Amino acid sequence: MTTLGIVKRNIIRADAVAVEKLGRFGVATIHEALGRVGLMKPYMRPVYRGARICGTAVTVLLQPGDNWMMHVAAEQLQPGDVAVAACTTENEDGFFGDLLATSFQARGARGLIIDGGVRDVDELERMGFPVFSKAIHAKGTIKATLGSVNVPVVCAGALVNPGDVVVADVDGVVVVPAALAQTVADAAEKRESFEGEKRAKLASGVLGLDMYKMREPLAAAGLKYID
Amino acid sequence: MTTLGIVKRNIIRADAVAVEKLGRFGVATIHEALGRVGLMKPYMRPVYRGARICGTAVTVLLQPGDNWMMHVAAEQLQPGDVAVAACTTENEDGFFGDLLATSFQARGARGLIIDGGVRDVDELERMGFPVFSKAIHAKGTIKATLGSVNVPVVCAGALVNPGDVVVADVDGVVVVPAALAQTVADAAEKRESFEGEKRAKLASGVLGLDMYKMREPLAAAGLKYID
Amino acid sequence: MTTLGIVKRNIIRADAVAVEKLGRFGVATIHEALGRVGLMKPYMRPVYRGARICGTAVTVLLQPGDNWMMHVAAEQLQPGDVAVAACTTENEDGFFGDLLATSFQARGARGLIIDGGVRDVDELERMGFPVFSKAIHAKGTIKATLGSVNVPVVCAGALVNPGDVVVADVDGVVVVPAALAQTVADAAEKRESFEGEKRAKLASGVLGLDMYKMREPLAAAGLKYID
Amino acid sequence: MTTLGIVKRNIIRADAVAVEKLGRFGVATIHEALGRVGLMKPYMRPVYRGARICGTAVTVLLQPGDNWMMHVAAEQLQPGDVAVAACTTENEDGFFGDLLATSFQARGARGLIIDGGVRDVDELERMGFPVFSKAIHAKGTIKATLGSVNVPVVCAGALVNPGDVVVADVDGVVVVPAALAQTVADAAEKRESFEGEKRAKLASGVLGLDMYKMREPLAAAGLKYID
Amino acid sequence: MTTLGIVKRNIIRADAVAVEKLGRFGVATIHEALGRVGLMKPYMRPVYRGARICGTAVTVLLQPGDNWMMHVAAEQLQPGDVAVAACTTENEDGFFGDLLATSFQARGARGLIIDGGVRDVDELERMGFPVFSKAIHAKGTIKATLGSVNVPVVCAGALVNPGDVVVADVDGVVVVPAALAQTVADAAEKRESFEGEKRAKLASGVLGLDMYKMREPLAAAGLKYID
Amino acid sequence: MTTLGIVKRNIIRADAVAVEKLGRFGVATIHEALGRVGLMKPYMRPVYRGARICGTAVTVLLQPGDNWMMHVAAEQLQPGDVAVAACTTENEDGFFGDLLATSFQARGARGLIIDGGVRDVDELERMGFPVFSKAIHAKGTIKATLGSVNVPVVCAGALVNPGDVVVADVDGVVVVPAALAQTVADAAEKRESFEGEKRAKLASGVLGLDMYKMREPLAAAGLKYID
């Protein structure tokens, strides 16, 4: 009757080729290509400058002040995965530090997205292990209560299923359902190809008002120019 | 009966010489020279390290989740202007990204101050287009509802009239009424000339207690030294 | 009947050798060595990248919008001290800037921890004077009301007694009671020596599940693996 | 590729008998019976004292500042339903007031749960139409952009599928998956029957330490009594 | 060069008849009649249940932790006025309590709107002196620094000029510029007369979809019904 | 080296007569009598209207998501005590509900102050067991990790020692050190006797400007009246 105390071993990961392709685009572009859904809340920030992640989600459901499930999750991580950790309540303790990062990196994981706190941030940067979190907090945790691994979680307001693609950069974190990875990657590519052309026009001084033909709808909506 | 749906084309910008002079001083100094008023709330932060802006305000009043007015504002921007965007309600969507920045830069704008979110932050830094915002958020916006351009707005708690001087650096954002630009620039200059002398004294070990003659008023206020 | 209006001149500082030893460890390690207590709230952040502090606390109790006591505190600072400033209410004004930093630095102080705002952040970085604060805000303060110096204060949720050791780095700020400085430094050293060994094992692919012998207690707690 | 612009007409509602049974228990009890998951964040509060809701969810996905989908949702509401509204971004506008409440009530709806703002709160109380929301805000909305009705939504951090049972009282809001309604109702009943006995014992002065046999595990964990 | 240290004695108050008429409508209705602008942020809440205010603004600009200007403002209050207090920085101290309320009430004031804290809330309710504030806080203030009375202020994000009409109820606080008072009151009346008719239709089961003729524009925007 | 895992059995409670006398005054008055210190942060609010507490503190240090120590604390409570619970990190789980309240009430406790969440709020009101908390949250907790009882704690920003007097009403929560209870109670009484006289004068129309002789210092500070 609950989703606590469960580790799902076999998950269906998004297609690897599609994941690599998604990794070439920014979060803002992917979010648009996905139909403007799938973003985590903007309080999720990179713990060091330049952090960037793209991979398939292994989800973790944590209890407050307890990181036991992080160790359980390590075993489920495969090369190309990203750990995505939610908590059953709001908590900003430091659930993750350099030792866990060493273990995750040894498993081939590409980073961590966590709706909580992390620590050892300087060491994480030296290791090149990118993390996006709600907080940085030296407060350690215990290992006493069960959560789960690879159940659906709500992380920073977004639903994440195991195997979904997670992309994170300075603009935020977006979740692409595994089944849509290739379609969204293609849509992102198409979208970006249009942007170069638009950028050139705008740089030359053409106004968006004219390029997007906005003058008529603005007038229809009642916009008035006064002097 | 409302200030929505209006674009004011002719605004009185602060004197260009005074604006350049203000640009030589920090926000903290200008805020003091102005009589300790005119600051935006401290949640307004630069989106990249080293961002700094000084220019004349073209104001934008946005609707939540809608950046239509940003395109209308682009046409009103002149070299030396800074776009200052407020929203009719609290909203942290990404109203602004690299395409709009390209257009604003082509118009000669010096940056953006926005009581909301922006995206494409890496690209903004590469372009050298400084932005101060409440949030960074990949969430895009639509173009469906009228706001206004060049009406007075309340941005992050500060009243901004079109043409006012806006100065932003790592310490925050300050608004100088257009009519006071020269007087405030002169006061800031005077203030700063005094600071060098004070700094030298303090660096040599003179205490502020003595330099500012505080010992007597402190005793009068009842301060007690105990061992 | 109050702790306002008092300056305590003679305080018992933590042993200098122990302080230097504590300075070799990160905040997360010290917090663990201390028994997982003594941390300030995670909203306390360095005002520039790479800031780091370790020293003995000279405490300051400020009134909102008033930094008079900062000047009184300057005289009590000795080489190796860190100013730790609390406020009688929540206030994010800029209580501290480059002039006070110059004076504090001339006294030999190693930095400032403040549950409030600071300004002149670029200049603080150039001077190499590290500050951890709740906010950055250009808003200046007056000098009109008495607080105290070297009374016990609650700063960002942590109790700080004058003479305690305060250590701050990117992971947060921790307070070590003066009497425990040597014991905690030794415990931190011991803790860190164990970490290198653990890190090597984890890097080689050994799982925490095995290294920490967690499989049995996890099963006992009811963890279920499903496919 | 998106979940926007969709209205699902046929949804599988939780069994009516189970829903009525769930309505007899408090949110805290149901949350425990469900295995301590399914709660919305604690910022969701009743807009008037004594508000209480139990019914089956018709979900609404709103755009910021736009309540068009509320009118679309009205048609999908059946007697016994509760509207559960999420937003694609954080927004506290007043999406809902007395006119919509009149319409919802005419359809037989039992209340509204909304991760946003509402208005006309006095009138809602007079009508006896209970609402749990993130904010109260007089700011009205437009009707211009498509969201969806009866798609899965994340509301205040909890995943809600159409047809799930939603129970709300002064302690918060809990979501019970439709398929678990009867089992959870039975578990809640069982749980509550035990509570009466415990309450009597505790009221007579028996300590939880003894009633729950905690003294031994506390000693084993290292608890020390000192005088 | 500053707006501090000034008391303006003669202000132009909104027309008394228009003020009384505005007092008959709710904040949500007035905000709509005004063109959906003029609202304060939703963190402004009544300090007791049922508080409601309508009157002409006497504005107060406070310094943090200092309520000296409240006493200066008392003398400027006339029957029918509402004190509207802003602060030069964010501060939640208790600037106002039962003694000041007694004085304000003796002057004929109808209430207080304050972007800060108040105290003696039980006594305020007994006196029937309504207050809308950002916080309730027992923390008292000093009387040491000048602010101003009857200068334009930004209170909770809204611009308030002395003499403007301020209306506050459970839905929030709205500011009507003095010159627009009669027009807005008339527009509110007209708006409300339409609402009764709409309410009756909706109560009888007519859907907003049909009453507002939304089906066609929804289809045009691409809304899809699925089973 | 830590304050975790400790229960102190013998504490020195404030004098009972002084406690009863303090109970006759409001929190704002006591806070003034104490020299304007000792208040908790204003986010601490009564969970039901009319809640009020005065008693001697039995302190509890909780771990996040864990209320084991509440049961340990119950045994230490004596008639006239108030439980004051802090947490080692920020956490809003529901640590306390009607069963614990039944047990606390059977021990003679007068209420609970908790820097966290509580639940069963309707039942707490029916029982007449007053609680002041940071949050209301149905989320339950486990019993797995040691905290402490009757060690000094920082609760909502205030230092509380076991035996201190804690007074809570609608204006907030104040802590009076045990040794100062009688002196503060006397000072509060004196303060209140003056207030009646002042209130009568103000009610008769005398201005605070005159009653407190503020006109001269205001003029000296530079206040200017303009027309």
Side-chain angles (χ1 to χ4, degrees):
Chain A
M1 205 181 321
T2 164
T3 55
L4 295 175
I6 288 169
V7 183
K8 188 155 169 38
R9 270 182 298 221
N10 298 325
I11 61 171
I12 300 172
R13 287 170 170 83
D15 175 71
V17 174
V19 174
E20 294 321 301
K21 186 166 179 180
L22 280 168
R24 291 160 31 200
F25 306 106
V27 167
T29 299
I30 292 170
H31 160 250
E32 293 286 348
L34 186 58
R36 276 200 269 164
V37 291
L39 278 176
M40 292 191 185
K41 306 255 178 188
Y43 62 70
M44 295 295 283
R45 300 298 304 149
V47 301
Y48 59 82
R49 196 178 158 68
R52 183 180 161 79
I53 305 177
C54 178
T56 41
V58 162
T59 63
V60 193
L61 183 59
L62 300 164
Q63 300 282 6
D66 192 311
N67 73 348
W68 214 10
M69 285 302 112
M70 285 299 208
H71 293 277
V72 175
E75 193 176 26
Q76 306 306 317
L77 287 167
Q78 297 183 2
D81 283 344
V82 177
V84 178
C87 184
T88 57
T89 193
E90 300 206 33
N91 187 252
E92 304 194 346
D93 284 6
F95 294 92
F96 185 91
D98 67 336
L99 286 183
L100 269 167
T102 302
S103 182
F104 279 28
Q105 209 172 41
R107 304 287 304 172
R110 294 182 173 174
L112 169 70
I113 310 291
I114 180 167
D115 197 358
V118 300
R119 56 185 193 173
D120 301 330
V121 164
D122 275 342
E123 187 61 23
L124 294 178
E125 183 169 13
R126 271 192 292 270
M127 295 170 62
F129 189 82
V131 175
F132 286 68
S133 74
K134 186 182 184 180
I136 294 172
H137 197 357
K139 176 96 178 45
T141 50
I142 59 166
K143 298 169 209 331
T145 321
L146 294 188
S148 287
V149 173
N150 280 334
V151 297
V153 297
V154 175
C155 180
L159 176 64
V160 188
N161 282 294
D164 285 350
V165 191
V166 179
V167 190
D169 66 19
V170 66
D171 290 340
V173 186
V174 69
V175 184
V176 180
L180 300 178
Q182 189 62 52
T183 323
V184 173
D186 294 346
E189 185 176 40
K190 198 164 156 192
R191 197 177 166 83
E192 207 167 79
S193 70
F194 290 146
E195 298 233 325
E197 197 184 328
K198 284 188 209 166
R199 194 176 290 111
K201 272 197 193 167
L202 293 167
S204 76
V206 176
L207 285 167
L209 286 177
D210 297 312
M211 190 172 83
Y212 299 114
K213 301 189 194 315
M214 288 173 174
R215 292 193 192 271
E216 202 177 338
L218 281 165
L223 189 66
K224 278 181 197 58
Y225 284 82
I226 59 178
D227 289 324
Chain B
M1 204 181 325
T2 164
T3 55
L4 295 174
I6 289 168
V7 184
K8 189 157 168 37
R9 270 182 297 220
N10 298 326
I11 62 173
I12 301 171
R13 288 170 170 83
D15 174 70
V17 173
V19 174
E20 294 321 302
K21 186 165 180 179
L22 280 168
R24 290 161 30 202
F25 306 106
V27 167
T29 300
I30 293 169
H31 158 250
E32 293 286 347
L34 186 58
R36 277 202 265 165
V37 292
L39 278 176
M40 292 192 186
K41 306 255 178 188
Y43 63 69
M44 296 294 285
R45 300 298 303 149
V47 300
Y48 60 81
R49 195 178 157 68
R52 182 177 162 80
I53 305 176
C54 178
T56 41
V58 162
T59 63
V60 192
L61 183 58
L62 299 164
Q63 300 283 5
D66 192 312
N67 74 347
W68 214 9
M69 286 302 112
M70 285 298 208
H71 293 277
V72 175
E75 192 176 26
Q76 306 306 317
L77 288 167
Q78 298 183 2
D81 282 344
V82 178
V84 178
C87 184
T88 57
T89 193
E90 299 207 34
N91 187 252
E92 302 194 348
D93 284 5
F95 293 92
F96 184 90
D98 66 336
L99 286 183
L100 269 167
T102 302
S103 182
F104 279 27
Q105 210 172 41
R107 304 287 303 172
R110 293 182 175 175
L112 168 71
I113 310 291
I114 180 166
D115 198 357
V118 300
R119 56 185 193 173
D120 301 329
V121 164
D122 275 343
E123 188 61 23
L124 295 177
E125 184 170 12
R126 271 191 291 271
M127 294 171 61
F129 190 82
V131 174
F132 287 67
S133 73
K134 186 181 184 181
I136 294 173
H137 199 355
K139 176 97 180 41
T141 50
I142 58 167
K143 299 173 207 332
T145 320
L146 293 189
S148 288
V149 173
N150 281 334
V151 297
V153 296
V154 175
C155 180
L159 176 64
V160 188
N161 282 293
D164 284 350
V165 191
V166 179
V167 190
D169 65 18
V170 67
D171 290 340
V173 186
V174 69
V175 184
V176 180
L180 299 178
Q182 189 62 50
T183 322
V184 173
D186 294 347
E189 184 175 42
K190 198 164 159 192
R191 196 176 167 85
E192 206 167 79
S193 70
F194 289 145
E195 298 235 324
E197 195 184 329
K198 285 188 207 164
R199 193 176 290 111
K201 273 197 193 168
L202 293 167
S204 76
V206 175
L207 286 167
L209 287 177
D210 297 311
M211 191 172 83
Y212 299 115
K213 302 191 195 312
M214 289 174 172
R215 293 192 192 271
E216 202 178 338
L218 281 165
L223 189 67
K224 276 181 200 57
Y225 285 81
I226 60 178
D227 290 324
Chain C
M1 202 180 323
T2 164
T3 55
L4 295 176
I6 289 169
V7 184
K8 190 157 168 37
R9 270 182 296 222
N10 297 326
I11 63 172
I12 300 172
R13 287 170 171 83
D15 174 69
V17 174
V19 174
E20 294 319 302
K21 187 167 179 178
L22 279 168
R24 290 160 33 199
F25 307 106
V27 167
T29 299
I30 293 169
H31 159 250
E32 293 287 346
L34 186 58
R36 277 201 266 165
V37 292
L39 279 176
M40 292 191 185
K41 306 255 179 188
Y43 63 70
M44 295 294 283
R45 301 297 304 150
V47 301
Y48 60 81
R49 194 178 159 67
R52 183 181 161 78
I53 305 178
C54 178
T56 41
V58 162
T59 63
V60 192
L61 183 58
L62 299 165
Q63 300 282 7
D66 192 311
N67 74 348
W68 214 10
M69 285 303 112
M70 285 299 207
H71 293 276
V72 176
E75 192 176 27
Q76 306 305 318
L77 288 166
Q78 298 183 2
D81 283 344
V82 177
V84 178
C87 184
T88 57
T89 192
E90 299 208 33
N91 187 249
E92 302 195 347
D93 284 6
F95 294 92
F96 184 90
D98 67 337
L99 285 184
L100 269 167
T102 302
S103 181
F104 279 28
Q105 210 173 41
R107 303 287 303 172
R110 294 182 173 174
L112 168 71
I113 311 289
I114 180 167
D115 198 357
V118 300
R119 57 185 191 172
D120 301 329
V121 164
D122 275 342
E123 187 60 21
L124 295 177
E125 184 170 13
R126 271 192 293 270
M127 295 170 62
F129 190 83
V131 175
F132 287 67
S133 74
K134 186 181 184 182
I136 295 173
H137 198 356
K139 175 97 177 43
T141 50
I142 58 167
K143 299 171 209 330
T145 321
L146 292 189
S148 288
V149 173
N150 281 335
V151 296
V153 297
V154 175
C155 180
L159 176 64
V160 189
N161 282 293
D164 285 350
V165 192
V166 179
V167 190
D169 66 18
V170 66
D171 290 340
V173 186
V174 68
V175 184
V176 181
L180 300 177
Q182 189 62 52
T183 322
V184 173
D186 293 346
E189 184 177 41
K190 199 164 158 191
R191 196 177 168 84
E192 206 166 80
S193 71
F194 290 147
E195 298 235 324
E197 196 183 329
K198 285 188 208 164
R199 194 176 291 111
K201 273 197 193 167
L202 293 168
S204 77
V206 176
L207 285 167
L209 287 177
D210 298 311
M211 191 172 83
Y212 298 114
K213 301 191 196 314
M214 288 173 173
R215 293 194 192 269
E216 202 178 338
L218 281 165
L223 189 66
K224 276 180 199 58
Y225 285 82
I226 60 176
D227 290 324
Chain D
M1 204 181 321
T2 163
T3 55
L4 295 176
I6 288 169
V7 183
K8 188 154 168 41
R9 270 183 296 221
N10 298 325
I11 62 172
I12 300 172
R13 287 170 170 83
D15 175 71
V17 173
V19 174
E20 294 320 302
K21 186 165 180 180
L22 280 167
R24 290 161 29 200
F25 306 105
V27 167
T29 299
I30 293 171
H31 159 250
E32 292 287 346
L34 187 59
R36 278 201 267 164
V37 292
L39 279 177
M40 292 191 185
K41 306 256 180 187
Y43 62 69
M44 296 293 284
R45 301 297 304 149
V47 300
Y48 59 83
R49 194 177 161 69
R52 182 180 163 79
I53 304 178
C54 178
T56 41
V58 162
T59 64
V60 192
L61 184 58
L62 300 165
Q63 300 283 7
D66 192 311
N67 74 349
W68 214 10
M69 284 303 112
M70 285 298 208
H71 293 276
V72 175
E75 193 177 27
Q76 306 305 317
L77 288 167
Q78 298 183 2
D81 282 345
V82 177
V84 178
C87 184
T88 58
T89 192
E90 300 208 32
N91 186 251
E92 303 195 346
D93 284 4
F95 293 93
F96 185 89
D98 66 336
L99 286 183
L100 270 167
T102 302
S103 182
F104 279 28
Q105 210 173 39
R107 304 289 301 173
R110 293 182 175 175
L112 168 71
I113 309 291
I114 180 166
D115 198 357
V118 299
R119 57 184 191 174
D120 301 330
V121 165
D122 275 342
E123 186 61 23
L124 295 177
E125 185 170 11
R126 270 192 292 269
M127 294 171 61
F129 190 82
V131 175
F132 287 67
S133 73
K134 187 182 185 182
I136 294 172
H137 198 356
K139 174 96 176 50
T141 50
I142 58 167
K143 298 170 209 331
T145 321
L146 293 188
S148 287
V149 172
N150 280 334
V151 297
V153 297
V154 175
C155 179
L159 176 63
V160 188
N161 282 293
D164 285 351
V165 191
V166 178
V167 190
D169 66 17
V170 66
D171 290 340
V173 186
V174 69
V175 184
V176 179
L180 299 177
Q182 187 63 52
T183 323
V184 173
D186 293 346
E189 184 176 41
K190 198 165 158 191
R191 197 176 168 84
E192 207 167 78
S193 70
F194 290 146
E195 298 234 325
E197 197 184 328
K198 285 188 207 165
R199 194 176 291 112
K201 273 196 192 169
L202 293 167
S204 76
V206 175
L207 285 168
L209 287 176
D210 297 311
M211 190 173 83
Y212 299 114
K213 301 190 195 313
M214 288 173 173
R215 293 194 192 270
E216 202 178 338
L218 282 165
L223 189 66
K224 276 179 200 58
Y225 285 82
I226 59 177
D227 288 326
Chain E
M1 205 181 320
T2 164
T3 55
L4 296 175
I6 288 168
V7 183
K8 190 156 168 36
R9 270 183 295 219
N10 298 325
I11 61 172
I12 301 172
R13 288 170 170 84
D15 174 70
V17 173
V19 174
E20 295 319 302
K21 185 166 180 181
L22 280 168
R24 290 161 30 200
F25 306 106
V27 168
T29 299
I30 293 170
H31 159 251
E32 294 286 347
L34 187 58
R36 276 201 266 164
V37 292
L39 279 176
M40 293 193 184
K41 307 256 180 187
Y43 62 69
M44 296 294 282
R45 300 298 304 150
V47 301
Y48 60 82
R49 195 177 161 69
R52 179 178 165 81
I53 305 176
C54 176
T56 41
V58 162
T59 64
V60 192
L61 184 58
L62 299 164
Q63 300 282 6
D66 191 311
N67 73 348
W68 215 10
M69 284 303 113
M70 285 299 207
H71 294 276
V72 176
E75 192 176 27
Q76 306 306 317
L77 287 167
Q78 298 183 2
D81 282 345
V82 178
V84 178
C87 184
T88 58
T89 192
E90 299 207 32
N91 187 252
E92 303 195 347
D93 283 6
F95 293 93
F96 184 89
D98 66 337
L99 286 183
L100 269 167
T102 302
S103 182
F104 279 28
Q105 209 172 40
R107 302 290 300 173
R110 294 183 174 174
L112 168 70
I113 310 290
I114 180 166
D115 199 357
V118 299
R119 55 184 191 174
D120 301 330
V121 164
D122 275 342
E123 187 61 23
L124 295 177
E125 185 171 11
R126 269 192 293 271
M127 294 171 61
F129 190 82
V131 175
F132 286 68
S133 73
K134 186 182 184 181
I136 294 172
H137 199 355
K139 175 95 177 48
T141 51
I142 58 167
K143 299 172 206 332
T145 322
L146 292 188
S148 288
V149 173
N150 281 333
V151 298
V153 296
V154 176
C155 179
L159 176 63
V160 188
N161 282 294
D164 285 351
V165 191
V166 179
V167 190
D169 66 19
V170 67
D171 290 339
V173 186
V174 68
V175 184
V176 180
L180 299 178
Q182 188 63 52
T183 322
V184 173
D186 293 346
E189 184 176 40
K190 198 163 157 192
R191 196 176 169 84
E192 207 166 78
S193 70
F194 290 147
E195 298 234 325
E197 196 184 331
K198 285 188 207 165
R199 193 176 291 112
K201 272 196 193 168
L202 293 167
S204 75
V206 176
L207 286 167
L209 288 177
D210 298 311
M211 191 172 83
Y212 298 115
K213 303 193 194 309
M214 289 174 172
R215 293 193 192 271
E216 201 178 339
L218 282 165
L223 189 67
K224 278 180 197 59
Y225 284 83
I226 60 178
D227 290 324
Chain F
M1 202 181 323
T2 164
T3 55
L4 295 175
I6 288 168
V7 183
K8 190 155 168 38
R9 270 183 296 220
N10 298 325
I11 62 172
I12 300 172
R13 288 170 171 83
D15 175 70
V17 173
V19 174
E20 295 320 301
K21 186 166 179 179
L22 280 167
R24 289 160 31 200
F25 306 106
V27 168
T29 299
I30 293 171
H31 159 252
E32 293 287 346
L34 187 57
R36 277 201 266 164
V37 293
L39 278 177
M40 292 193 185
K41 306 256 179 187
Y43 63 70
M44 297 294 283
R45 301 297 304 149
V47 301
Y48 59 83
R49 194 177 161 67
R52 183 182 161 78
I53 305 177
C54 177
T56 42
V58 161
T59 64
V60 192
L61 183 58
L62 300 164
Q63 299 283 7
D66 192 313
N67 74 346
W68 215 9
M69 285 303 113
M70 285 299 208
H71 294 276
V72 175
E75 194 176 25
Q76 306 306 316
L77 288 167
Q78 298 183 1
D81 282 345
V82 177
V84 178
C87 185
T88 58
T89 193
E90 300 207 32
N91 186 250
E92 303 194 347
D93 284 5
F95 294 93
F96 185 90
D98 66 337
L99 286 183
L100 270 167
T102 302
S103 182
F104 279 27
Q105 209 173 39
R107 304 288 302 173
R110 292 182 175 174
L112 169 70
I113 310 290
I114 181 167
D115 198 357
V118 300
R119 57 184 192 173
D120 301 330
V121 164
D122 275 342
E123 187 60 23
L124 295 177
E125 185 171 11
R126 270 191 292 270
M127 296 170 60
F129 190 82
V131 175
F132 287 67
S133 73
K134 187 181 184 181
I136 294 172
H137 198 357
K139 175 99 177 46
T141 50
I142 58 167
K143 299 172 207 332
T145 321
L146 294 188
S148 288
V149 173
N150 280 335
V151 298
V153 297
V154 175
C155 180
L159 177 63
V160 188
N161 281 293
D164 285 350
V165 191
V166 178
V167 190
D169 65 18
V170 66
D171 290 340
V173 186
V174 69
V175 184
V176 180
L180 300 178
Q182 188 63 51
T183 323
V184 173
D186 293 347
E189 183 177 42
K190 199 163 156 192
R191 197 176 168 83
E192 207 167 78
S193 70
F194 290 147
E195 298 234 325
E197 196 184 330
K198 285 188 207 164
R199 192 176 293 110
K201 271 197 195 169
L202 293 168
S204 76
V206 176
L207 286 168
L209 288 177
D210 297 311
M211 190 171 84
Y212 298 115
K213 301 191 194 312
M214 289 173 172
R215 294 193 191 272
E216 201 178 338
L218 281 165
L223 189 66
K224 277 181 198 59
Y225 284 81
I226 60 178
D227 288 326

